[in-house]
Amino acid sequence: MKFEDYPVAASPPQGINPCDGCALRQLDAFLPASDEELKTIQSFRAGIRRVEAGGSIVEEHRPSTQLFTLYAGWAFRYKTLSDGRRQILSFLLPGDFIGLQDEFAEGQTHGVEAVTDATLCAFPRNKLWPLFHAQPKLGYDITWLAAREEKMVDDNLVTAGRRNAGERVAMLLMHLYRRAERVGMVRDGWVEFPFNQQHIADALGLSLVHTNKTLRRLQRLGLYKLDAGWLRIMEPHALETLGDYFERPLRPTPLI
Amino acid sequence: MKFEDYPVAASPPQGINPCDGCALRQLDAFLPASDEELKTIQSFRAGIRRVEAGGSIVEEHRPSTQLFTLYAGWAFRYKTLSDGRRQILSFLLPGDFIGLQDEFAEGQTHGVEAVTDATLCAFPRNKLWPLFHAQPKLGYDITWLAAREEKMVDDNLVTAGRRNAGERVAMLLMHLYRRAERVGMVRDGWVEFPFNQQHIADALGLSLVHTNKTLRRLQRLGLYKLDAGWLRIMEPHALETLGDYFERPLRPTPLI
DNA sequence: CGAATGCTTGACGGTACTCAAAGATTGTGG
DNA sequence: CCACAATCTTTGAGTACCGTCAAGCATTCG
């Protein structure tokens, strides 16, 4: 089983009305869109973009002229200090909307990098306001997505600020697993886990070495398994308790 | 000089068309609103609310039925772990919009607490969508504010994850000073600084004791002064460099 | 097969945490 | 107006968690 096989084809449909056949939108995780909304989204969309694993989707400090919806693959938002220390701000999964913050940030922007090969739907930034104007409902949806994303950063801030190493790792594993599960990326209890330990360290605000030791400890305790880039949560309750992190089932969200 | 004397009167205007005389909106920090927008905002507004220093504006885990714009005073958003560890997510100043994240969070919400006596304009949550519908421009503005707030949380996450104690304190002092300056809360180089060291520790992800020692160290270096609850930045450039944090002048933002 | 990348482990040191207690400041009631 | 409590700040001592350094091992890739 390869990553590209799901949750949907790596490429969105092409042709005249590509959004009509959007496989992502079939998932329970996303709200249905009316015909009119779909038409507006489609006219908002400029095309698709592919980025290979490790490639840059949005460069730090260089505001992108496009917005994106991640269609397939894993990515993350990050910032770096001038001496190179990097902090991953949040991870991105299919359905996540990318680039809103830049809209009003004037150069102090975060970067976005693909972890796996990724496919994105691109939208020209200068059509954002016309979109709000034409379909206030879609504007409301975008605000929804922005608020949801901020909530995730809030949680990550609590993690970096107040959890110890073991709690951080437990929280992150559960968080990533639950989110992947939601968009249909879990098969038989296993989810593709394409991150290396440097990613995890940068997300948690830990050093690489300490991240490794903490991961090994939780693994030896039998809380999770990691095999050839696939993750399986063995003791979800233990991890949730350790991390003091209990993700409620999320309502379906809009998909732009 | 008392805090209540500025940046504007502690109470917004009352009467038939209270928003017409909104003193906050006169500041350069905020974009002007058209008559029609002002009218819509006014009809969106349910009234004012006062919260005394230390009081709760939004209780954690209890989604509020109202949204707010902070009109006067200082406040902060926070989350606590189940054993009581608290993380301050961001600080709130006049003009900040409160409660958007809750809209879609289903109970896993942050709390909001007033640091000083605070005055807020309250808006019923169930009129948020009608507002988007009636005035897409205001919806766009709200998205703007949400994105700006997320950018602040992003910065705080970098701080908690990757900066050491001295860098954290330097960054926070400059951040708060610049933001206060922007809404006219600085007089003769001094800004009211109503936080205790526990607030700072909770915002930076440090312990109270270590926060104290770090503050004292930077103070002994002459980088800032703190006197009777008023802050003066003595060496802005040194603090910016130490914290690797250079706040660009911000464009005027919308005010809802 | 050698280089590159990533994972793992040990040793050591330092930053930051905890515990404890003494000032300083503010508020309150007799 | 003073006594006392409550809150906040400050400092010291001891500790532990986590970072840095270093090196060996595993895996992949050209």
Side-chain angles (χ1 to χ4, degrees):
Chain A
M1 177 164 40
K2 289 182 310 174
F3 178 76
E4 288 73 20
D5 295 338
Y6 69 96
V8 293
S11 297
Q14 309 284 327
I16 309 292
N17 295 314
C19 293
D20 282 353
C22 179
L24 208 50
R25 201 178 294 280
Q26 317 305 321
L27 297 173
D28 290 340
F30 301 106
L31 290 168
S34 72
D35 287 347
E36 190 167 9
E37 284 161 13
L38 212 56
K39 220 175 89 187
T40 307
I41 292 172
Q42 200 163 270
S43 68
F44 180 35
R45 201 176 86 131
I48 73 166
R49 175 155 166 226
R50 291 168 194 288
V51 177
E52 61 184 7
S56 173
I57 296 170
V58 177
E59 292 203 32
E60 202 177 358
H61 307 303
R62 177 116 53 97
S64 151
T65 60
Q66 293 187 311
L67 301 161
F68 304 97
T69 289
L70 184 55
Y71 180 81
W74 290 86
F76 62 87
R77 302 194 305 119
Y78 68 94
K79 281 194 173 206
T80 51
L81 296 177
S82 58
D83 65 358
R85 282 175 285 180
R86 180 174 77 167
Q87 177 66 41
I88 289 181
L89 303 168
S90 60
F91 290 102
L92 302 170
L93 271 79
D96 285 338
F97 196 63
I98 297 173
L100 251 194
Q101 302 87 353
D102 297 10
E103 180 71 7
F104 319 103
E106 294 157 62
Q108 294 193 67
T109 67
H110 57 83
V112 181
E113 187 177 308
V115 182
T116 63
D117 290 346
T119 308
L120 307 107
C121 297
F123 307 95
R125 187 177 289 281
N126 58 19
K127 280 166 81 175
L128 182 62
W129 159 237
L131 179 77
F132 271 71
H133 186 66
Q135 288 275 335
K137 174 62 161 46
L138 293 177
Y140 187 74
D141 287 346
I142 286 175
T143 303
W144 180 335
L145 293 176
R148 193 179 70 108
E149 167 128 354
E150 183 180 342
K151 205 185 120 4
M152 282 195 280
V153 184
D154 284 352
D155 286 340
N156 292 340
L157 177 52
V158 174
T159 295
R162 288 294 171 218
R163 279 184 247 250
N164 65 31
E167 295 166 345
R168 294 186 203 199
V169 169
M171 181 272 192
L172 184 68
L173 292 176
M174 289 310 301
H175 172 76
L176 291 178
Y177 187 87
R178 294 284 187 224
R179 285 186 65 198
E181 187 176 38
R182 194 162 161 281
V183 290
M185 293 173 84
V186 170
R187 287 285 186 284
D188 301 323
W190 293 85
V191 58
E192 169 135 353
F193 194 80
F195 309 103
N196 61 30
Q197 296 185 351
Q198 188 68 61
H199 288 125
I200 302 178
D202 286 349
L204 297 179
L206 296 172
S207 70
L208 174 63
V209 172
H210 198 65
T211 299
N212 173 277
K213 290 175 180 174
T214 307
L215 278 168
R216 303 257 45 215
R217 183 163 58 85
L218 298 195
Q219 201 171 30
R220 271 195 300 272
L221 288 171
L223 302 185
Y224 75 97
K225 283 184 181 171
L226 197 52
D227 180 46
W230 288 78
L231 168 73
R232 185 188 186 99
I233 302 291
M234 307 305 292
E235 301 287 351
H237 187 65
L239 284 171
E240 285 176 337
T241 304
L242 174 58
D244 194 11
Y245 183 77
F246 304 87
E247 185 111 31
R248 304 267 192 89
L250 283 167
R251 283 191 286 178
T253 56
L255 177 65
I256 302 297
Chain B
M1 178 162 41
K2 289 182 311 174
F3 178 77
E4 287 73 20
D5 295 339
Y6 69 96
V8 294
S11 298
Q14 309 285 326
I16 311 293
N17 296 313
C19 294
D20 282 352
C22 179
L24 209 50
R25 199 177 295 278
Q26 317 307 321
L27 297 173
D28 290 340
F30 301 106
L31 290 167
S34 72
D35 288 347
E36 191 166 8
E37 285 163 12
L38 211 58
K39 220 173 91 186
T40 307
I41 292 173
Q42 200 164 271
S43 68
F44 181 35
R45 200 177 86 133
I48 72 165
R49 176 155 165 227
R50 292 168 194 287
V51 178
E52 62 184 7
S56 174
I57 295 170
V58 177
E59 291 204 32
E60 203 177 357
H61 307 304
R62 176 116 52 95
S64 151
T65 60
Q66 293 186 311
L67 301 162
F68 303 97
T69 288
L70 184 55
Y71 180 82
W74 289 86
F76 61 88
R77 302 193 307 119
Y78 68 94
K79 281 193 173 209
T80 52
L81 296 177
S82 58
D83 66 358
R85 281 175 285 179
R86 181 174 76 168
Q87 178 66 40
I88 290 180
L89 304 168
S90 59
F91 290 101
L92 301 169
L93 272 79
D96 284 339
F97 197 62
I98 298 173
L100 253 194
Q101 303 87 353
D102 298 10
E103 180 73 6
F104 319 103
E106 292 156 61
Q108 292 193 69
T109 66
H110 57 84
V112 181
E113 188 177 307
V115 182
T116 62
D117 290 346
T119 308
L120 308 106
C121 297
F123 308 95
R125 187 177 290 281
N126 58 19
K127 282 167 79 176
L128 182 62
W129 159 236
L131 179 77
F132 271 71
H133 187 67
Q135 288 277 334
K137 174 60 161 47
L138 294 177
Y140 187 74
D141 287 346
I142 285 174
T143 304
W144 180 335
L145 293 177
R148 194 180 69 109
E149 168 128 355
E150 183 180 342
K151 204 184 120 4
M152 281 194 281
V153 184
D154 284 351
D155 286 339
N156 292 339
L157 176 52
V158 174
T159 296
R162 288 295 170 216
R163 278 185 248 251
N164 65 29
E167 295 166 347
R168 294 186 202 198
V169 169
M171 181 272 194
L172 184 68
L173 291 177
M174 288 311 300
H175 173 76
L176 292 178
Y177 187 87
R178 295 283 187 224
R179 285 186 64 199
E181 187 175 38
R182 194 164 161 281
V183 289
M185 293 172 83
V186 170
R187 286 286 186 285
D188 300 324
W190 292 86
V191 57
E192 170 135 354
F193 194 81
F195 310 103
N196 62 31
Q197 296 185 351
Q198 188 68 62
H199 288 125
I200 302 178
D202 287 349
L204 297 180
L206 296 171
S207 71
L208 175 62
V209 172
H210 198 62
T211 299
N212 174 276
K213 289 175 182 175
T214 307
L215 278 168
R216 302 258 43 217
R217 183 163 56 84
L218 298 195
Q219 202 171 30
R220 271 196 299 273
L221 288 172
L223 302 185
Y224 75 96
K225 284 184 180 170
L226 198 52
D227 179 47
W230 288 78
L231 169 71
R232 184 188 187 99
I233 303 291
M234 306 304 292
E235 301 286 349
H237 187 65
L239 284 171
E240 285 177 336
T241 304
L242 174 58
D244 196 10
Y245 183 77
F246 304 87
E247 185 112 33
R248 304 266 190 91
L250 285 166
R251 283 192 287 179
T253 55
L255 177 67
I256 302 297

